Amino acid sequence: MTGNEIRETFLQFFESKGHRRIRSSSLVPHGDPTLLFTNAGMNQFKNVFLGLEKREYTRATTAQKCVRAGGKHNDLENVGFTKRHHTFFEMLGNFSLGDYFKKDAIAYAWELITSPEWFAIPKDKLYVTVFGGAEVSSGNSLGMDEEASKYWLEQPVPGDRIFAIPGLKDNFWAMGDTGPCGPCSELHYDMGPAASEQGHPDCKFPCDCGRYVEIWNLVFMQFNRDSSGALTPLPKPCVDTGMGLERLAAVLQGVVSNYDTDLFVPLIDRAAKLTGVNEKKELEAEEHHRSALERRTRVCATQDYSSRHSPWPPSRRH
C-alpha cells in the first residue's frame, strides 16, 4: 500500500464505524495561545474535551499534519538519530467525544490493524501495553488499567503479549497539570533484529533499542485532575488516538526506516538531484562509517566484559 492509500484506508475504516471525517486543521492553531504549532490530532477538539464546546457529532476521524519541535510533546532530540522520529509528520486519529470508550476503541484498533479486509498485520508481530499504575500526584495513586487489559484479551490478544507499564512517562496522558487526563494503551510492532539501533540480535519486548516500534497510542481520557492533584471521573469519558502515518507505512511497505517509504523516497531523490548529490556514494560512506563505529563499539564492549570477568588481578591481565 502507498502512503496515500494507507491514509485513505484509515479514514474509510472509521467512517464505516460512524465517524465524521474532519479535515486536518491548520499547523498554526487558531484561538489557542498555548500552542505555537499543532502537535497532535486532538488539538482541534481540545475545547470539546474541556467541556467548552459542543459539536454536532460525537465520533470523528482525522489525518492531522503535526509539528513537534519544542514544548511538552517534543521529539526534536530524537530527530536524525532514529529511523522513526520527525519534526513534521501526519497523525492518523479517531476520537470519541463522550460516545464510546475503551471496549470499542480497542476493538476498532485490533480490527483495523489485523483484519485481512484492512491492514492485515500479522498478530504475532504485535505487542500491547497498558497503564501499569503510578502515583499521579503527591499522595494520589492510580492502579493498573485492568479494564483495558481485559478488553485486549477479548480480541483475543494473548496474555503474554500484553504488558503493564508502570509510571507516567509512556502510558498516562494529561492535557496539562490540571484538566482531562487518563491512561493510555499502545500497539507496538516488531520490526525484527535488523531494526535494533544497538545491534541486539535477540532482545525481547519491551526493549527500547528500536526493534519494537510504537505505531498507535490509544488515550482514554476518563479523569479530571484538579489543582490539588485529585482525580475525579469525567461524566463523559473520551477517546483520543494517534498513529503515525510514516511508521505505519514503514510496517506495511516492509522497510525498517520511515525514510525508505514512498512518503520520503521521492522527496529525497528530488533533493539529491537538485543538489547534485550522489545518493549511492553517500549511503556507502555512511554505511562504512557506521560499520567502523559498530566494530569499535564491539571491541570496547568485549574488552570491558573481559576486564570485569577476568580471574586475574588487574596487575596480571596484560
Side-chain angles (χ1 to χ4, degrees), residues 42-305:
M42 58 76 58
N43 289 165
Q44 65 172 305
F45 304 108
K46 183 176 177 180
N47 284 341
V48 181
F49 294 143
L50 291 171
L52 303 175
E53 179 186 346
K54 191 168 183 177
R55 304 280 177 97
E56 60 181 5
Y57 50 84
T58 58
R59 298 181 175 207
T61 184
T62 67
Q64 176 64 53
K65 297 175 177 64
C66 301
V67 169
R68 289 189 176 180
K72 178 183 177 184
H73 300 290
N74 176 18
D75 295 327
L76 190 59
E77 70 276 9
N78 295 313
V79 175
F81 296 95
T82 77
K83 304 175 181 71
R84 62 191 185 279
H85 287 95
H86 312 287
T87 50
F88 173 83
F89 64 97
E90 283 190 65
M91 184 180 288
L92 307 174
N94 60 290
F95 305 89
S96 167
L97 310 176
D99 191 322
Y100 61 87
F101 200 43
K102 295 179 186 179
K103 183 176 183 178
D104 288 338
I106 288 171
Y108 291 156
W110 194 248
E111 179 184 356
L112 175 59
I113 288 292
T114 65
S115 171
E117 298 178 5
W118 299 99
F119 290 138
I121 295 176
K123 297 176 182 178
D124 62 0
K125 300 283 283 182
L126 296 168
Y127 293 87
V128 170
T129 63
V130 298
F131 177 65
E135 185 178 55
V136 294
S137 63
S138 180
N140 292 288
S141 295
L142 191 63
M144 173 187 164
D145 191 350
E146 300 280 1
E147 190 178 21
S149 181
K150 179 185 74 170
Y151 291 138
W152 283 115
L153 287 168
E154 290 177 359
Q155 295 317 303
V157 178
D160 61 358
R161 287 184 172 264
I162 302 173
F163 289 74
I165 308 297
L168 301 177
K169 181 177 182 291
D170 296 312
N171 283 83
F172 192 86
W173 185 90
M175 193 175 291
D177 293 334
T178 61
C181 59
C184 306
S185 196
E186 298 175 340
L187 270 167
H188 296 253
Y189 179 81
D190 180 2
M191 303 289 283
S196 174
E197 292 155 4
Q198 299 174 25
H200 294 169
D202 192 28
C203 59
K204 306 299 181 185
F205 186 82
C207 182
D208 194 27
C209 67
R211 172 174 174 170
Y212 303 97
V213 176
E214 175 202 333
I215 57 173
W216 205 350
N217 187 15
L218 315 180
V219 179
F220 307 122
M221 286 187 279
Q222 64 185 99
F223 302 106
N224 182 68
R225 183 162 57 186
D226 64 24
S227 57
S228 71
L231 299 178
T232 304
L234 291 171
K236 287 189 176 181
C238 298
V239 172
D240 156 27
T241 85
M243 175 158 58
L245 172 63
E246 298 79 4
R247 295 188 185 189
L248 183 59
V251 170
L252 294 176
Q253 293 175 17
V255 295
V256 168
S257 172
N258 293 5
Y259 297 101
D260 289 331
T261 67
D262 74 322
L263 296 168
F264 283 95
V265 169
L267 300 175
I268 295 171
D269 288 347
R270 181 60 176 161
K273 185 175 181 180
L274 290 173
T275 56
V277 170
N278 186 315
E279 285 187 78
K280 185 177 179 181
K281 288 185 177 180
E282 288 290 323
L283 290 171
E284 288 175 350
E286 180 183 341
E287 184 59 34
H288 175 76
H289 175 73
R290 182 185 297 112
S291 297
L293 181 61
E294 288 175 353
R295 285 196 298 272
R296 288 196 295 270
T297 301
R298 283 196 294 269
V299 169
C300 290
T302 300
Q303 290 177 339
D304 178 63
Y305 181 87

